[in-house]
Amino acid sequence: MTAANERVVIFDTTLRDGEQCPGATMTFDEKLEVAHLLDRMGVDIIEAGFPIASNGDFEAVAEIARRTENAVVAGLARAIPGDIARCGEAVRFAKRPRIHTFVSTSPIHLKHQMRKTEEEVLEIIATTVAQARNLVDDVEWSAMDATRTGHEYLARAVEAAIRAGATTINLPDTVGYATPDEYRAMFVAMRERVPGADKVIFSTHCHDDLGLAVANSLAGLAGGARQIECTVNGIGERAGNAALEEIVMALRTRRDALPYETGVESTLLTRASRLVSAATSFPVQYNKAIVGKNAFAHESGIHQDGMLKNNETYEIMTPATVGVTKTSLVMGKHSGRAAFKDKLKALGYELGENALQDAFARFKELADRKKHVYDEDIEALVDNQIASGNDRIKVLSLIVIAGTMGPQSATLTLDIEGVHTTVQSTGNGPVDAIFNAIRSVAPHEASLALYQVHAVTEGTDAQAEVSVRLEEGEKTVSAKVADPDTLVASAKAYVAALNKLTVKRQQVNAQAAISA
């Protein structure tokens, strides 16, 4: 790293924009876990949520603000006085609070969504940014749909925000429409045209509708931006956001072409990816850059030959730089608590005493059932624990009768808020019987949109990881659970999705109450 390398601020919006992805709702405890890891990683700014959205979102933002040691904690607010006041109330507990407020600027948004004139929006910007600045010293203003806004009017809007006290100006590619050249040129134009532009930090926020989010974010740096907004695994609205891990490793690997640095500890990228995947129940595609299962795998004979001779023939970064280690077989039923704790630390986990004891007990149970316990097994075990720590409904026991003769049946016992209920149901196959049993104990109108199974590791005794997605009206939730027994994993995944659906209902009801 040379003295010429400029610092790029990493703004993570996994907990806000990422959670807006249909089915990616996280629980309160999951959000705290993710925020804690982001802070450990060295992320500069954590956008913790949208405080006005619900009481749950407000409480999550407030608690993250209280707990975060190093990062700036931001909350999102529309350009509405009530939103900004609520956001200020949530982030005031942070050591370094930020209010992030936004308003649309493009002609199509002003005409069809805002139904305001350009002059009316300029007045809204001046009023609401000033209100936010009276609450905190650090105010970010975003021009929603900036890339479809004419440069002349965009410059006027940016100037109004700076005059009102904004310290960061975000010019998002809200719909993923821009090309890298267009995005770079927009930042160049704003920095040249707007008085006071040299006194603020410009930021990128790119969506991946055309697969250009990372490329556009890097182009924004070339245009003068020094903050990049991104999410772990690139989750977010529609096709998602620029992926944090791809941004960080692009800057680290190509310092010759991209002379910038970040404060992110890259060895925690894989851990963050797996935690967010577990919390949202969104699996990471095998060929995902940086953190995908196959990102450092080589099957082609030519590639394998090159790797045996020199790793640099086909790897532009080492697995260790992103926290990937070779699968270990040393953990088993004879392993002690100290060794288990050390293994967790090596995998990037820091658990409290009670959580550690619970995880160790579950590890011992797993070790009695499996011949080999892989690193991935331990990660799945702990991630399941984090995801289901405060569930309203829990699976206590399951007995399934299956075979060619039929009908298949399931006897299931659930714990629903401390009350144990046992029921027997039949179905067209064992999984159908299990889900019918769950529906009879916990009735609901949600439909099963996805049921998917894959093995966590190799071997006939591998844990099965089951993903379930439920849809109820416009509400979509997903859950993912691993267990050596595929049918047990299926029951637990379905119940986990039901628990998330309950949380989602509460959020929707709270939002309806606020709107009323």
Side-chain angles (χ1 to χ4, degrees), residues 9 11 45 98 100 140-142 168-173 183 186-187 200-206 217 220-221 224-230:
V9 175
F11 178 116
I45 300 155
R98 172 181 290 193
H100 177 196
E140 177 172 338
W141 175 78
S142 290
T168 298
I169 299 296
N170 180 36
L171 303 179
D173 187 20
Y183 201 55
M186 178 181 65
F187 283 97
V200 299
I201 293 177
F202 280 85
S203 176
T204 73
H205 180 113
C206 299
S217 299
L221 295 184
R226 287 299 178 267
Q227 175 179 292
I228 292 180
E229 303 190 4
C230 47

Short mmCIF file of all heavy atoms in Angstrom, two decimals, residues 9 11 45 98 100 140-142 168-173 183 186-187 200-206 217 220-221 224-230:
data_model
loop_
_atom_site.label_atom_id
_atom_site.label_comp_id
_atom_site.label_asym_id
_atom_site.label_seq_id
_atom_site.Cartn_x
_atom_site.Cartn_y
_atom_site.Cartn_z
N VAL A 9 -14.52 4.98 1.83
CA VAL A 9 -15.41 4.67 2.94
C VAL A 9 -16.38 3.57 2.51
O VAL A 9 -17.04 3.70 1.47
CB VAL A 9 -16.20 5.93 3.37
CG1 VAL A 9 -17.22 5.59 4.45
CG2 VAL A 9 -15.25 7.01 3.85
N PHE A 11 -19.76 1.74 3.16
CA PHE A 11 -21.08 1.94 3.77
C PHE A 11 -21.88 0.66 3.52
O PHE A 11 -22.24 0.37 2.39
CB PHE A 11 -21.74 3.15 3.12
CG PHE A 11 -23.13 3.50 3.57
CD1 PHE A 11 -23.37 4.70 4.21
CD2 PHE A 11 -24.21 2.67 3.30
CE1 PHE A 11 -24.66 5.07 4.60
CE2 PHE A 11 -25.49 3.02 3.68
CZ PHE A 11 -25.72 4.23 4.34
N ILE A 45 -19.43 2.44 7.94
CA ILE A 45 -20.78 2.89 8.25
C ILE A 45 -21.72 1.70 8.13
O ILE A 45 -21.71 0.97 7.13
CB ILE A 45 -21.24 4.01 7.29
CG1 ILE A 45 -20.30 5.21 7.39
CG2 ILE A 45 -22.68 4.43 7.59
CD1 ILE A 45 -20.28 6.06 6.16
N ARG A 98 -25.60 8.92 12.24
CA ARG A 98 -25.84 9.55 10.94
C ARG A 98 -27.31 9.40 10.57
O ARG A 98 -27.90 8.33 10.78
CB ARG A 98 -24.97 8.92 9.85
CG ARG A 98 -25.32 9.41 8.43
CD ARG A 98 -24.48 8.77 7.34
NE ARG A 98 -23.10 9.22 7.37
CZ ARG A 98 -22.22 9.01 6.38
NH1 ARG A 98 -22.61 8.36 5.29
NH2 ARG A 98 -20.99 9.45 6.48
N HIS A 100 -29.61 9.38 7.25
CA HIS A 100 -29.55 9.26 5.79
C HIS A 100 -30.95 9.52 5.24
O HIS A 100 -31.85 8.71 5.42
CB HIS A 100 -29.06 7.86 5.41
CG HIS A 100 -29.01 7.61 3.93
ND1 HIS A 100 -28.92 6.35 3.39
CD2 HIS A 100 -29.05 8.47 2.87
CE1 HIS A 100 -28.89 6.43 2.07
NE2 HIS A 100 -28.97 7.71 1.73
N GLU A 140 -26.40 12.41 5.53
CA GLU A 140 -26.25 11.99 4.14
C GLU A 140 -27.55 12.24 3.40
O GLU A 140 -28.63 11.93 3.91
CB GLU A 140 -25.89 10.51 4.06
CG GLU A 140 -25.79 9.98 2.63
CD GLU A 140 -25.26 8.56 2.54
OE1 GLU A 140 -24.60 8.11 3.49
OE2 GLU A 140 -25.54 7.90 1.50
N TRP A 141 -27.43 12.81 2.21
CA TRP A 141 -28.61 13.04 1.38
C TRP A 141 -28.46 12.26 0.07
O TRP A 141 -27.39 12.25 -0.54
CB TRP A 141 -28.80 14.52 1.06
CG TRP A 141 -29.94 14.75 0.11
CD1 TRP A 141 -31.26 14.74 0.41
CD2 TRP A 141 -29.84 14.97 -1.31
NE1 TRP A 141 -32.02 14.94 -0.73
CE2 TRP A 141 -31.18 15.09 -1.80
CE3 TRP A 141 -28.79 15.07 -2.21
CZ2 TRP A 141 -31.46 15.31 -3.14
CZ3 TRP A 141 -29.06 15.30 -3.55
CH2 TRP A 141 -30.39 15.41 -4.00
N SER A 142 -29.54 11.58 -0.33
CA SER A 142 -29.54 10.79 -1.56
C SER A 142 -30.57 11.30 -2.55
O SER A 142 -31.71 11.60 -2.17
CB SER A 142 -29.84 9.32 -1.25
OG SER A 142 -28.77 8.71 -0.58
N THR A 168 -22.55 14.23 3.25
CA THR A 168 -22.32 13.20 2.23
C THR A 168 -23.43 13.29 1.20
O THR A 168 -24.61 13.40 1.56
CB THR A 168 -22.30 11.79 2.85
OG1 THR A 168 -21.23 11.69 3.79
CG2 THR A 168 -22.11 10.71 1.78
N ILE A 169 -23.07 13.23 -0.06
CA ILE A 169 -24.04 13.27 -1.16
C ILE A 169 -23.99 11.94 -1.89
O ILE A 169 -22.94 11.57 -2.45
CB ILE A 169 -23.74 14.42 -2.15
CG1 ILE A 169 -23.80 15.78 -1.44
CG2 ILE A 169 -24.71 14.37 -3.33
CD1 ILE A 169 -25.16 16.16 -0.91
N ASN A 170 -25.10 11.22 -1.88
CA ASN A 170 -25.18 9.92 -2.54
C ASN A 170 -25.97 10.06 -3.84
O ASN A 170 -27.07 10.60 -3.86
CB ASN A 170 -25.88 8.92 -1.61
CG ASN A 170 -26.00 7.54 -2.22
OD1 ASN A 170 -25.09 7.10 -2.92
ND2 ASN A 170 -27.10 6.87 -1.96
N LEU A 171 -25.38 9.57 -4.92
CA LEU A 171 -26.02 9.64 -6.24
C LEU A 171 -26.27 8.20 -6.71
O LEU A 171 -25.46 7.61 -7.42
CB LEU A 171 -25.13 10.39 -7.23
CG LEU A 171 -24.74 11.81 -6.82
CD1 LEU A 171 -23.84 12.44 -7.88
CD2 LEU A 171 -25.98 12.68 -6.59
N PRO A 172 -27.39 7.61 -6.30
CA PRO A 172 -27.61 6.18 -6.56
C PRO A 172 -28.10 5.87 -7.97
O PRO A 172 -28.83 6.65 -8.58
CB PRO A 172 -28.68 5.81 -5.53
CG PRO A 172 -29.40 7.08 -5.25
CD PRO A 172 -28.41 8.19 -5.42
N ASP A 173 -27.68 4.70 -8.43
CA ASP A 173 -28.25 4.12 -9.65
C ASP A 173 -29.38 3.21 -9.17
O ASP A 173 -29.26 1.99 -9.13
CB ASP A 173 -27.19 3.34 -10.42
CG ASP A 173 -27.70 2.86 -11.78
OD1 ASP A 173 -28.69 3.44 -12.27
OD2 ASP A 173 -27.12 1.91 -12.32
N TYR A 183 -22.06 6.65 -15.36
CA TYR A 183 -22.05 6.86 -13.91
C TYR A 183 -20.84 7.70 -13.50
O TYR A 183 -20.96 8.62 -12.69
CB TYR A 183 -22.03 5.50 -13.22
CG TYR A 183 -22.50 5.54 -11.78
CD1 TYR A 183 -23.75 6.06 -11.44
CD2 TYR A 183 -21.70 5.04 -10.76
CE1 TYR A 183 -24.19 6.08 -10.13
CE2 TYR A 183 -22.13 5.05 -9.44
CZ TYR A 183 -23.37 5.58 -9.14
OH TYR A 183 -23.80 5.61 -7.83
N MET A 186 -21.39 11.39 -14.40
CA MET A 186 -22.32 12.09 -13.52
C MET A 186 -21.59 12.67 -12.32
O MET A 186 -21.81 13.82 -11.92
CB MET A 186 -23.43 11.14 -13.06
CG MET A 186 -24.43 11.77 -12.10
SD MET A 186 -25.70 10.60 -11.57
CE MET A 186 -24.69 9.43 -10.63
N PHE A 187 -20.69 11.90 -11.71
CA PHE A 187 -19.94 12.40 -10.56
C PHE A 187 -18.99 13.53 -10.96
O PHE A 187 -18.85 14.53 -10.24
CB PHE A 187 -19.16 11.26 -9.90
CG PHE A 187 -20.01 10.36 -9.06
CD1 PHE A 187 -20.51 9.17 -9.57
CD2 PHE A 187 -20.34 10.71 -7.76
CE1 PHE A 187 -21.31 8.34 -8.80
CE2 PHE A 187 -21.14 9.89 -6.98
CZ PHE A 187 -21.64 8.70 -7.50
N VAL A 200 -17.76 18.08 0.59
CA VAL A 200 -18.55 16.90 0.97
C VAL A 200 -17.94 15.64 0.35
O VAL A 200 -17.12 15.71 -0.56
CB VAL A 200 -20.02 17.03 0.52
CG1 VAL A 200 -20.68 18.23 1.17
CG2 VAL A 200 -20.14 17.09 -1.01
N ILE A 201 -18.38 14.50 0.85
CA ILE A 201 -18.00 13.21 0.27
C ILE A 201 -19.12 12.76 -0.65
O ILE A 201 -20.30 12.78 -0.28
CB ILE A 201 -17.77 12.15 1.37
CG1 ILE A 201 -16.55 12.50 2.21
CG2 ILE A 201 -17.61 10.75 0.76
CD1 ILE A 201 -16.30 11.57 3.37
N PHE A 202 -18.77 12.35 -1.85
CA PHE A 202 -19.75 11.80 -2.78
C PHE A 202 -19.77 10.27 -2.64
O PHE A 202 -18.73 9.65 -2.40
CB PHE A 202 -19.44 12.20 -4.22
CG PHE A 202 -19.91 13.59 -4.55
CD1 PHE A 202 -19.11 14.69 -4.28
CD2 PHE A 202 -21.17 13.80 -5.12
CE1 PHE A 202 -19.54 15.98 -4.58
CE2 PHE A 202 -21.60 15.08 -5.42
CZ PHE A 202 -20.79 16.17 -5.14
N SER A 203 -20.96 9.69 -2.80
CA SER A 203 -21.15 8.27 -2.57
C SER A 203 -21.84 7.59 -3.73
O SER A 203 -22.70 8.19 -4.40
CB SER A 203 -21.97 8.07 -1.29
OG SER A 203 -22.26 6.70 -1.08
N THR A 204 -21.50 6.32 -3.94
CA THR A 204 -22.19 5.49 -4.93
C THR A 204 -23.18 4.56 -4.22
O THR A 204 -22.98 4.20 -3.06
CB THR A 204 -21.21 4.61 -5.72
OG1 THR A 204 -20.72 3.56 -4.88
CG2 THR A 204 -20.03 5.42 -6.23
N HIS A 205 -24.22 4.20 -4.92
CA HIS A 205 -25.18 3.18 -4.44
C HIS A 205 -25.77 2.57 -5.69
O HIS A 205 -26.64 3.16 -6.35
CB HIS A 205 -26.27 3.83 -3.58
CG HIS A 205 -27.27 2.84 -3.04
ND1 HIS A 205 -27.40 2.55 -1.70
CD2 HIS A 205 -28.20 2.08 -3.67
CE1 HIS A 205 -28.36 1.67 -1.52
NE2 HIS A 205 -28.87 1.36 -2.71
N CYS A 206 -25.30 1.38 -6.04
CA CYS A 206 -25.65 0.80 -7.34
C CYS A 206 -26.42 -0.51 -7.20
O CYS A 206 -26.03 -1.39 -6.43
CB CYS A 206 -24.39 0.55 -8.17
SG CYS A 206 -23.49 2.07 -8.53
N SER A 217 -19.94 1.02 -9.39
CA SER A 217 -19.40 1.55 -8.13
C SER A 217 -17.93 1.94 -8.30
O SER A 217 -17.50 3.01 -7.84
CB SER A 217 -19.54 0.52 -7.02
OG SER A 217 -20.90 0.21 -6.78
N GLY A 220 -17.65 5.01 -10.26
CA GLY A 220 -17.94 6.17 -9.43
C GLY A 220 -16.69 6.69 -8.73
O GLY A 220 -16.50 7.90 -8.58
N LEU A 221 -15.82 5.77 -8.29
CA LEU A 221 -14.56 6.19 -7.68
C LEU A 221 -13.73 6.99 -8.68
O LEU A 221 -13.12 8.00 -8.32
CB LEU A 221 -13.76 4.98 -7.21
CG LEU A 221 -14.34 4.13 -6.08
CD1 LEU A 221 -13.34 3.03 -5.70
CD2 LEU A 221 -14.66 4.98 -4.87
N GLY A 224 -14.74 10.49 -8.78
CA GLY A 224 -14.53 11.33 -7.61
C GLY A 224 -15.26 10.90 -6.36
O GLY A 224 -15.09 11.51 -5.30
N ALA A 225 -16.10 9.88 -6.44
CA ALA A 225 -16.78 9.38 -5.24
C ALA A 225 -15.74 8.75 -4.32
O ALA A 225 -14.77 8.16 -4.78
CB ALA A 225 -17.85 8.36 -5.61
N ARG A 226 -15.98 8.85 -2.99
CA ARG A 226 -15.07 8.23 -2.04
C ARG A 226 -15.82 7.43 -0.98
O ARG A 226 -15.26 7.04 0.03
CB ARG A 226 -14.18 9.28 -1.38
CG ARG A 226 -13.11 9.85 -2.31
CD ARG A 226 -12.16 8.77 -2.80
NE ARG A 226 -11.15 9.28 -3.75
CZ ARG A 226 -11.28 9.27 -5.05
NH1 ARG A 226 -12.39 8.77 -5.61
NH2 ARG A 226 -10.33 9.74 -5.84
N GLN A 227 -17.10 7.19 -1.21
CA GLN A 227 -17.87 6.27 -0.39
C GLN A 227 -18.60 5.32 -1.30
O GLN A 227 -19.16 5.74 -2.32
CB GLN A 227 -18.87 7.01 0.50
CG GLN A 227 -19.80 6.08 1.30
CD GLN A 227 -20.77 6.84 2.19
OE1 GLN A 227 -20.37 7.46 3.17
NE2 GLN A 227 -22.06 6.78 1.86
N ILE A 228 -18.60 4.02 -0.96
CA ILE A 228 -19.34 3.03 -1.74
C ILE A 228 -20.35 2.36 -0.82
O ILE A 228 -20.01 1.87 0.26
CB ILE A 228 -18.40 1.96 -2.34
CG1 ILE A 228 -17.51 2.58 -3.42
CG2 ILE A 228 -19.20 0.80 -2.92
CD1 ILE A 228 -16.56 1.60 -4.08
N GLU A 229 -21.61 2.33 -1.25
CA GLU A 229 -22.66 1.65 -0.51
C GLU A 229 -22.85 0.27 -1.12
O GLU A 229 -22.96 0.12 -2.34
CB GLU A 229 -23.95 2.48 -0.55
CG GLU A 229 -23.74 3.88 0.01
CD GLU A 229 -25.00 4.67 0.24
OE1 GLU A 229 -26.10 4.12 0.04
OE2 GLU A 229 -24.87 5.85 0.62
N CYS A 230 -22.89 -0.74 -0.25
CA CYS A 230 -22.90 -2.12 -0.73
C CYS A 230 -23.51 -3.03 0.33
O CYS A 230 -23.83 -2.58 1.44
CB CYS A 230 -21.47 -2.57 -1.06
SG CYS A 230 -20.25 -2.16 0.22
#
